[in-house]
Amino acid sequence: PSHYLRSREGRARIDSWFNPKMLYRIPRNLQTTGLRALGRLALLDNYAALTRRLREELLKCADPDTLAKVAQRAGLGLRSTVPRVYVVTGLGGGTGSGMFLDLAYVVKHLLKELGCSQAEVNGVFFLPAVDRHPGRVLALGNAFAALTELNHFSTPGTTFSARYEEKEKPLSDPEPPYARTLMLQLPEGISEEAPKELFDLSADYIFRELASPLGRVTEDYRANMPSPGRQCPGPTYQTFGLYRISWPRQALLRNVARRLCQRVVQHWMSKDAGPVREAVQAAVAEVWQKQELSGENLLTRLQAVCKEALGEKPETILSKLTAPLEELDKRSLEGLPEAAASLLAQFERLLGRPETSVGNRGGELDGPLNAAADALIATHSQRLATFAVRLVEHPQFRLAGTEEAMRQMIAILEQSLQHHEGLCKEFTERTTEAHGRIWSILATLQAGTQTERRKIVTTTSALIELLRIYPNWRYQSLLLKRVLNIYVSLRGHLSDQLREINYCRDRLGDLRRGFENPERNAPINEEGSCGRSVYPFGCRNLNETVKRLLEGISPSEAYELDCKIQNVIRQQFTSLVHVCMTPSNLLQNLEMAMQHEAEGFVATRLADINVTDLYMAHHSNDEQIESDLEEMFESAAPQLSGQHIPPQSELRVLATPPGQAGERFQELAQGVANGLKIIATAGLNDIVFYRESPRLALAELGQLGPLAYEAYRQMSGIESFTPHSRTDISEWRAAVVS
């Protein structure tokens, strides 16, 4: 209460229309608990935010681009550029019932500010059932008070006035709050489903009035309807009833689409690579060849790097260095140890010392070779990652094909690794052995006497031969070690990719569970409110029809859908891999996009289905249809307490889809109408019996009768309490209590 009692800048005072003592009736859960004055107080307290939101929505409704899109989608052309507003609420509660009049005048005021002074504001109101149930006293008394206020401001000569903010002028309007009011009565039971059907019916009514031929027909007929024989005392209202024969197109689209999406996702995350193994093998072989991953190609690239680093081929340089050995072979042994040691030092400066040697160090080629190997690893890793992504994004391969490709690539790498590992080991061992023998011979030559040196003259040829072949073995071992390093790194990278594929599979499992979610897969009101359903393909229920549709989709058609979904993924989500690997939750957005695409795919199979044809196929003869028509016509009668609706004042419309079956159905319906006129019009995807009473006296409503008045009187007798939404009007112009 202190929130409202405290003065606040800009807010209009509430004590001019509200009894502050009612503030202490606000419960801790901040609900109105049926107090209509608190509902109006909520409107005033949030006036700035509500008017801002309403203004934004009205501007969007009047936007030319929006109007053009709506006219195109509805296929009915543009009926008007002026917005039409519907206020839908129950009059037996506290919030909506407390603010329904103020809200109408606020909307009208905003429309005038936007230059839409001719805009129409309509009300769709739910009324409580009229009975003596103790639990309905509050609702019935509230409805009586709300209808009394509606009657008051709808009576000529009454001006509505209210001030919502201090800085604004009071809002004043001499016109009635609503151009039209429609009354619907809530069912007497306490079931939650029964009111829901009535709410669905009201939403269905607004949709048809705005976006179907039935709406235009009823609007034209209502405008040209002759005046009734007797004048209605005071304001009037409308009510309607509706009965619909439909086939569950939307439910079929939704359920079949979701199950198709489950199939698609299951294919994405499948582990069975059998169907694509040969295709994967061909793709892997092509990538291996195109990327030049063979050992020979890698050695060629590394040799080119060495040539670039040294200015000429290493083989040429080594040949030049060992050329003087031919002359040493023909001279005396004098100077051979020194020449050999110098030559070996040059080899080590260029190629480094073998790893097992004391004082191991790298040579000039180590840096360029390491950099080249790292570059090749980075390049080929990226290319293999791109290859993997390409397979994941291809509807033929997806995760199973990608895993198979990675496994085949790892197997090829293992084979190449095994082959070159043997060569590398062989060259390394030769190099180490040759290096050791060279130093051993040199040590003997340098330390021995002349006599001992003559004894090993025969070994000089071996020394010279070792000096000639050692650098080539050393060079080959350096190259092969880099090739092995490249293969090992690529193998590790592919293993990482396999782990990422498993992560993607887990994420896709979440996506699949989303499509399997029972709450999201619940049927969309299979039988529909106020009507019944018929099913295509001779099926008896929704599940049977869904199963029939799914059975008719071949693997090639499922592949076609997968390709369409992939196009959507590429356009909206970059890639499937991106969706799976991105921390932000894109799965729900992907789920909705897939659902939309799958529904479009399924819709092509349902394009030629006509509900009238389905209905006729389920009935064997005209007599059976006529009997059914009488029952449907009765079921469409409006239901309101205390009202007698003369048949002559009713507006009756039958909407059927175009076609011969629809025309025949119209003829049979006219034959059972007992001479009452039925207006025929084109329908959408269902058959609709619509009955409307467009001019009924508000004062004759049962919710303004004795039982409702008694409930209202009881509430009025409570201290510091009023069933009305405001206290600044001393005497309401009440409707006549019957």
Side-chain angles (χ1 to χ4, degrees):
S2 61
H3 170 78
Y4 297 98
L5 292 172
R6 184 172 58 249
S7 61
R8 193 168 8 153
E9 183 180 356
R11 185 177 68 181
R13 294 178 56 187
I14 65 172
D15 56 3
S16 61
W17 64 272
F18 182 81
N19 183 351
K21 293 182 179 180
M22 290 189 69
L23 291 174
Y24 297 98
R25 296 182 180 273
I26 298 177
R28 290 188 177 275
N29 61 6
L30 302 181
Q31 302 296 313
T32 63
T33 60
L35 277 69
R36 298 183 62 245
L38 292 181
R40 186 171 192 259
L41 180 61
L43 172 66
L44 270 70
D45 198 40
N46 296 277
Y47 176 78
L50 285 170
T51 52
R52 181 170 59 252
R53 171 72 181 274
L54 286 169
R55 184 178 286 106
E56 291 173 357
E57 298 294 342
L58 290 170
L59 284 171
K60 291 177 184 177
C61 288
D63 180 71
D65 292 338
T66 302
L67 293 174
K69 290 177 182 178
V70 171
Q72 182 180 10
R73 289 192 63 182
L76 299 173
L78 185 61
R79 191 188 305 185
S80 172
T81 58
V82 179
R84 178 183 292 179
V85 180
Y86 291 82
V87 177
V88 186
T89 187
L91 296 187
T95 304
S97 178
M99 66 173 68
F100 82 110
L101 292 171
D102 289 85
L103 189 59
Y105 283 110
V106 168
V107 170
K108 289 174 63 179
H109 177 69
L110 291 174
L111 287 166
K112 289 177 182 178
E113 287 185 343
L114 297 175
C116 302
S117 58
Q118 301 302 314
E120 189 176 297
V121 180
N122 299 324
V124 179
F125 304 130
F126 305 113
L127 303 175
V130 180
D131 59 29
R132 296 186 179 276
H133 193 286
R136 241 186 297 276
V137 172
L138 180 62
L140 203 53
N142 279 344
F144 185 97
L147 292 170
T148 299
E149 295 172 12
L150 177 63
N151 178 79
H152 178 86
F153 289 114
S154 299
T155 302
T158 304
T159 298
F160 175 88
S161 180
R163 189 186 194 98
Y164 301 106
E165 290 189 337
E166 287 291 343
K167 60 183 179 182
E168 291 186 355
K169 294 180 180 179
L171 190 155
S172 181
D173 193 330
E175 299 295 326
Y178 293 101
R180 291 190 294 127
T181 55
L182 291 94
M183 303 291 179
L184 297 170
Q185 183 168 296
L186 293 165
E188 295 183 3
I190 58 174
S191 168
E192 294 183 1
E193 291 301 318
K196 183 179 182 303
E197 289 186 0
L198 191 62
F199 303 152
D200 291 344
L201 176 65
S202 64
D204 188 69
Y205 165 80
I206 294 174
F207 163 71
R208 293 181 189 278
E209 180 159 278
L210 294 176
S212 78
L214 188 148
R216 288 196 169 184
V217 167
T218 55
E219 186 173 337
D220 293 341
Y221 186 86
R222 200 182 295 125
N224 299 314
M225 192 174 183
S227 300
R230 66 184 183 90
Q231 282 296 113
C232 293
T236 63
Y237 71 95
Q238 300 169 206
T239 189
F240 71 92
L242 184 148
Y243 191 88
R244 178 175 58 222
I245 301 174
S246 60
W247 64 283
R249 182 179 186 277
Q250 194 59 36
L252 281 173
L253 286 177
R254 181 185 184 191
N255 281 270
V256 175
R258 292 190 73 80
R259 297 193 190 183
L260 276 177
C261 289
Q262 290 178 36
R263 286 187 186 179
V264 169
V265 177
Q266 185 59 46
H267 165 66
W268 291 356
M269 56 189 295
S270 170
K271 294 185 177 182
D272 181 14
V276 296
R277 186 164 285 118
E278 291 185 4
V280 167
Q281 189 173 4
V284 169
E286 181 182 356
V287 169
W288 184 269
Q289 183 178 5
K290 185 178 293 185
Q291 292 195 27
E292 299 180 339
L293 284 169
S294 68
E296 293 75 10
N297 288 323
L298 293 178
L299 287 171
T300 300
R301 293 188 187 184
L302 293 173
Q303 288 168 345
V305 169
C306 293
K307 178 183 177 182
E308 183 178 354
L310 300 176
E312 58 182 327
K313 290 182 178 181
E315 295 91 335
T316 304
I317 295 175
L318 294 175
S319 178
K320 290 179 180 179
L321 290 175
T322 57
L325 292 175
E326 296 296 331
E327 298 178 6
L328 285 174
D329 195 29
K330 297 173 183 178
R331 296 198 307 253
S332 65
L333 296 179
E334 294 299 328
L336 177 59
E338 294 76 9
S342 174
L343 187 59
L344 194 58
Q346 294 182 67
F347 292 158
E348 291 178 354
R349 186 174 61 254
L350 180 65
L351 303 173
R353 221 175 246 188
E355 288 75 5
T356 58
S357 302
V358 178
N360 173 36
R361 61 178 181 273
E364 292 181 16
L365 286 182
D366 276 350
L369 283 174
N370 290 337
D374 291 342
L376 287 170
I377 291 170
T379 299
H380 289 299
S381 295
Q382 180 60 42
R383 289 176 180 175
L384 290 176
T386 303
F387 173 57
V389 170
R390 191 169 76 245
L391 291 180
V392 172
E393 304 302 316
H394 197 295
Q396 180 183 3
F397 299 106
R398 296 303 186 189
L399 297 191
T402 308
E403 278 182 325
E404 178 64 20
M406 298 302 100
R407 285 193 289 264
Q408 290 188 17
M409 189 70 74
I410 289 174
I412 297 174
L413 285 172
E414 289 282 3
Q415 292 177 359
S416 299
L417 191 60
Q418 187 175 2
H419 171 70
H420 289 87
E421 196 170 26
L423 290 176
C424 184
K425 183 178 180 182
E426 180 182 348
F427 276 106
T428 301
E429 290 176 350
R430 289 181 182 179
T431 300
T432 303
E433 183 181 357
H435 187 269
R437 287 187 62 195
I438 290 171
W439 277 110
S440 175
I441 294 172
L442 287 178
T444 301
L445 290 175
Q446 291 172 348
T449 62
Q450 187 69 20
T451 304
E452 292 172 335
R453 290 174 62 184
R454 288 196 188 97
K455 292 180 181 178
I456 60 171
V457 168
T458 54
T459 65
T460 57
S461 296
L463 173 61
I464 294 171
E465 182 63 23
L466 286 172
L467 289 171
R468 184 181 295 113
I469 61 176
Y470 163 76
N472 290 307
W473 288 347
R474 174 64 178 163
Y475 176 53
Q476 291 300 319
S477 70
L478 292 179
L479 295 176
L480 288 168
K481 285 177 182 177
R482 270 59 181 194
V483 171
L484 293 180
N485 187 28
I486 292 170
Y487 282 152
V488 170
S489 297
L490 293 180
R491 183 180 61 181
H493 177 75
L494 292 174
S495 298
D496 291 340
Q497 286 188 335
L498 284 174
R499 285 191 290 272
E500 290 180 355
I501 290 171
N502 280 326
Y503 177 74
C504 289
R505 183 172 281 112
D506 291 339
R507 292 276 284 168
L508 292 178
D510 295 337
L511 179 61
R512 183 188 61 188
R513 284 186 286 275
F515 284 114
E516 295 171 352
N517 189 326
E519 294 181 2
R520 299 180 192 173
N521 288 331
I524 302 176
N525 204 8
E526 180 180 343
E527 292 298 330
S529 59
C530 300
R532 66 176 185 264
S533 295
V534 291
Y535 300 91
F537 317 121
C539 298
R540 294 166 295 178
N541 53 51
L542 178 64
N543 288 335
E544 188 177 322
T545 313
V546 170
K547 183 179 178 182
R548 177 74 175 272
L549 277 169
L550 288 170
E551 289 173 347
I553 296 175
S554 66
S556 62
E557 289 172 317
Y559 179 79
E560 177 188 346
L561 173 60
D562 199 347
C563 292
K564 292 183 180 215
I565 291 175
Q566 182 60 39
N567 288 334
V568 172
I569 292 173
R570 184 172 58 253
Q571 293 169 6
Q572 299 183 22
F573 302 94
T574 305
S575 68
L576 183 59
V577 172
H578 174 71
V579 174
C580 293
M581 302 304 293
T582 301
S584 61
N585 186 18
L586 295 177
L587 290 181
Q588 190 171 356
N589 294 338
L590 176 57
E591 179 185 337
M592 291 187 291
M594 290 177 64
Q595 170 92 18
H596 177 76
E597 192 64 31
E599 285 185 4
F601 177 81
V602 178
T604 59
R605 295 175 167 270
L606 306 176
D608 297 329
I609 295 178
N610 185 300
V611 67
T612 318
D613 292 331
L614 295 179
Y615 176 83
M616 293 295 195
H618 281 74
H619 295 77
S620 56
N621 53 59
D622 288 354
E623 290 76 13
Q624 186 181 10
I625 295 174
E626 288 173 352
S627 174
D628 200 27
L629 284 170
E630 291 179 358
E631 183 180 338
M632 290 187 284
F633 189 74
E634 282 300 316
S635 299
Q639 301 292 330
L640 266 179
S641 300
Q643 283 289 2
H644 171 69
I645 303 173
Q648 295 77 14
S649 66
E650 260 192 8
L651 168 61
R652 303 172 189 83
V653 181
L654 175 57
T656 59
Q660 293 183 351
E663 294 174 1
R664 177 59 182 158
F665 192 87
Q666 294 275 5
E667 292 175 7
L668 293 172
Q670 193 64 57
V672 299
N674 298 322
L676 299 174
K677 182 180 179 182
I678 297 179
I679 303 170
T681 187
L684 299 174
N685 294 311
D686 49 15
I687 300 169
V688 177
F689 286 86
Y690 177 78
R691 296 174 63 178
E692 178 186 302
S693 298
R695 293 175 186 167
L696 296 172
L698 187 68
E700 295 180 4
L701 268 171
Q703 287 75 10
L704 284 171
L707 286 178
Y709 176 71
E710 179 61 24
Y712 168 78
R713 191 181 62 78
Q714 290 181 31
M715 294 168 62
S716 300
I718 301 174
E719 185 179 357
S720 301
F721 182 89
T722 175
H724 287 289
S725 61
R726 53 196 293 184
T727 60
D728 56 332
I729 297 177
S730 58
E731 185 175 349
W732 294 97
R733 296 189 182 184
V736 178
V737 179
S738 57

